[in-house]
Amino acid sequence: MREVQAVAVFCPTSNLFIGSGLFNYERLRAAGVRIALATDVGGGTSYSMLRTAAEAYKVMQLQGQNLAALSAFDLMTRGNAAALKLAGEIGAIAPGAYADLVVLDARATPAMAHRMEVARSLEDELFVLTTLGDDRVVQQTYIGGKAAL
């Protein structure tokens, strides 16, 4: 896969729902294989990238691996753009890139607000969003740099 620059797409809700196995992220990463993180509601259970990242975290924990929240958000954004060979156009806030963005609130629910009381870093906040977040965290959406209604 590395030699042909193929992308292994980690779809944890699908893998878990249909019982197709546990994606070995660290083995593929160590082998230099490009990895993307995606939903797959054909065989999975959610369109939410936050839910998908939470399930990816759990799958990796089952194998003694760890998916840091910063890495999960990188996979969801820049990493998926790179997998599509669109880095520089999407996936990052940068001059000349398209700007479809969401503003997320890590205190959107009582449980999240409680957990955020002990958050001390960006990693902690992203972990709260990854593990406890759902559609209620989305405060605003911007499409092409303009606020969507």
Side-chain angles (χ1 to χ4, degrees):
M1 290 183 75
R2 183 193 70 224
E3 289 173 13
V4 297
Q5 296 184 349
V7 178
V9 182
F10 187 4
C11 300
T13 67
S14 176
N15 298 147
L16 293 169
F17 186 72
I18 64 176
S20 61
L22 300 177
F23 188 94
N24 194 327
Y25 182 94
E26 287 300 329
R27 182 174 58 102
L28 290 167
R29 187 193 61 73
V33 174
R34 296 181 324 135
I35 300 171
L37 179 65
T39 66
D40 176 8
V41 295
T45 56
S46 177
Y47 286 116
S48 169
M49 286 305 294
L50 294 174
R51 293 280 41 105
T52 299
E55 295 305 306
Y57 176 85
K58 294 172 195 172
V59 165
M60 290 176 66
Q61 286 292 300
L62 286 170
Q63 300 173 88
Q65 301 173 17
N66 184 53
L67 178 61
L70 283 166
S71 295
F73 272 79
D74 183 66
L75 281 169
M76 288 187 257
T77 56
R78 191 201 57 77
N80 281 341
L84 295 168
K85 297 193 180 205
L86 293 173
E89 293 182 50
I90 62 172
I93 300 171
Y98 293 99
D100 293 344
L101 307 167
V102 291
V103 176
L104 305 178
D105 178 6
R107 292 173 174 81
T109 68
M112 293 175 76
H114 178 70
R115 177 60 179 83
M116 283 299 295
E117 289 176 10
V118 296
R120 298 290 176 251
S121 66
L122 177 60
E123 175 70 25
D124 291 346
E125 185 169 351
L126 294 177
F127 189 73
V128 169
L129 284 163
T130 301
T131 56
L132 298 175
D134 58 28
D135 59 324
R136 294 172 290 179
V137 305
V138 178
Q139 298 302 297
Q140 182 65 58
T141 301
Y142 292 87
I143 301 172
K146 296 183 176 152
L149 299 174

